[in-house]
Amino acid sequence: LVSNSTNSTLVIVMGGLRGGEQAWNTLLTNVLDPSAADLALCIGEFSDEDNNVLNSTLYKRAKYVWTFKEYDDWGDAIDLLNKTDWRTTMLPSDGGVFGGVKGHESSGAVNGMIRWFMSGHIKELDLTKKYDRFVITRADHYYQCKHNVSDFQVGNKTLWTPHGEGYGGKTDRYLIVGNEDVLDAIDIYPTFFNTPRLWKKRMNVEMLIDEVWKEKNMKVNGFERVMFTCAVKTDTTRWRKATQPVPGVPGLFKKYHGEYAAVQKNCPPIDGNATG
């Protein structure tokens, strides 16, 4: 398909559509518009009657919508990688990277496999020829001030992630990467399964991402955080429930106070109109 758009950045939102309209509007106003970026969603399957998705700002704005099966046991998804014996050789050392596999908490496997599904769509549509930059993120961020992705130098294995929320590794919530490196940067699970030295390491998702990027000789740069993770009352989560209200945004809750506090140092205060 030939596109009329000349946008050279693609922002990919992966996982559940959490965080609500007030947060999603900040993605449009403070990221997509200043960056002249297209939007892709890589989300769980939904029905034709699912108004939560169909009526959402994100769905209406998205140029691409890719869906994946929501597995009861994400071990079934991992089996698509055609790796045998992983349940006996790798699963016993789990420190969070297999979250979503039956009996394992957190969302590491969900995270790893969604990236694998996403990679397939990028290849199938040949998007690395169409876009210069990619952002890989999630829906439940509130972007408190302008964030122009075009300002970031990419290429030569250079990656950008916001400071903080690394938990011993690199955050899995936001990544800026160039077109020649995006497939490598999201190739977390296949690299993990092909690198035996990592199998016995007890790691969370952030540590795994860090190890894989080191394995691939990626150069990871940090930038001042302008976004914080948030939730509305109706959101479901595999991990931490948000309970602290966000001042100036009625009905929105912050998930991690340290992350929110960092953003307050870097952005003007929220003035109640959701544009920061």
Side-chain angles (χ1 to χ4, degrees):
L1 282 174
V2 178
S3 161
N4 302 322
S5 165
T6 54
N7 287 351
S8 61
T9 295
L10 182 64
V11 173
I12 306 176
V13 167
M14 60 178 269
L17 289 190
R18 301 194 300 256
E21 286 290 341
Q22 294 177 104
W24 303 337
N25 278 315
T26 67
L27 174 67
L28 273 56
T29 309
N30 285 340
V31 184
L32 295 180
D33 293 344
S35 309
D38 287 340
L39 176 65
L41 303 181
C42 189
I43 58 178
E45 288 172 345
F46 57 91
S47 74
D48 294 342
E49 284 86 50
D50 190 339
N51 291 327
N52 287 337
V53 173
L54 298 172
N55 292 339
S56 71
T57 298
L58 293 186
Y59 182 80
K60 289 174 180 166
R61 178 69 176 255
K63 185 163 186 143
Y64 310 96
V65 178
W66 309 319
T67 60
F68 53 82
K69 180 178 171 183
E70 290 277 16
Y71 290 85
D72 291 328
D73 177 357
W74 278 80
D76 296 340
I78 293 173
D79 287 335
L80 298 172
L81 298 176
N82 291 325
K83 302 295 178 191
T84 51
D85 300 336
W86 64 269
R87 285 177 177 82
T88 49
T89 54
M90 299 168 75
L91 199 54
S93 319
D94 182 31
V97 292
F98 285 108
V101 173
K102 210 174 182 84
H104 291 252
E105 287 191 343
S106 187
S107 54
V110 184
N111 198 307
M113 289 309 299
I114 294 175
R115 278 172 163 74
W116 185 70
F117 294 139
M118 184 196 302
S119 181
H121 293 295
I122 292 172
K123 290 175 192 164
E124 185 189 348
L125 296 170
D126 218 7
L127 296 181
T128 55
K129 290 208 172 72
K130 185 169 173 192
Y131 296 100
D132 298 333
R133 278 181 183 74
F134 290 79
V135 172
I136 314 296
T137 187
R138 40 197 270 172
D140 56 349
H141 273 151
Y142 189 101
Y143 298 87
Q144 195 166 317
C145 50
K146 292 274 186 285
H147 176 60
N148 185 349
V149 177
S150 313
D151 293 341
F152 293 82
Q153 291 294 317
V154 293
N156 273 339
K157 296 185 177 287
T158 299
L159 311 181
W160 293 88
T161 62
H163 291 309
E165 297 300 302
Y167 300 99
K170 298 286 185 261
T171 183
D172 63 326
R173 298 185 207 145
Y174 193 92
L175 167 68
I176 302 171
V177 57
N179 56 351
E180 60 202 49
D181 300 313
V182 62
L183 292 172
D184 259 350
I186 62 176
D187 187 49
I188 304 297
Y189 245 41
T191 305
F192 177 35
F193 281 78
N194 290 330
T195 314
R197 70 174 182 82
L198 298 178
W199 294 356
K200 294 283 191 284
K201 268 188 119 137
R202 193 167 176 79
M203 297 180 288
N204 58 28
V205 177
E206 293 85 358
M207 292 171 183
L208 174 60
I209 288 173
D210 193 27
E211 288 285 355
V212 167
W213 287 349
K214 283 176 183 161
E215 186 76 17
K216 291 172 177 286
N217 298 312
M218 297 291 186
K219 300 187 285 271
V220 188
N221 296 312
F223 64 89
E224 296 298 337
R225 177 174 285 281
V226 296
M227 74 292 280
F228 60 87
T229 317
C230 62
V232 290
K233 272 214 161 66
T234 49
D235 284 347
T236 55
T237 177
R238 287 173 180 272
W239 201 232
R240 179 183 296 210
K241 196 107 174 108
T243 54
Q244 302 171 307
V246 175
V249 192
L252 199 67
F253 298 86
K254 54 192 174 191
K255 274 197 164 182
Y256 308 96
H257 182 70
E259 181 189 60
Y260 172 81
V263 174
Q264 303 321 300
K265 290 182 189 151
N266 301 327
C267 291
I270 294 171
D271 57 11
N273 68 4
T275 56

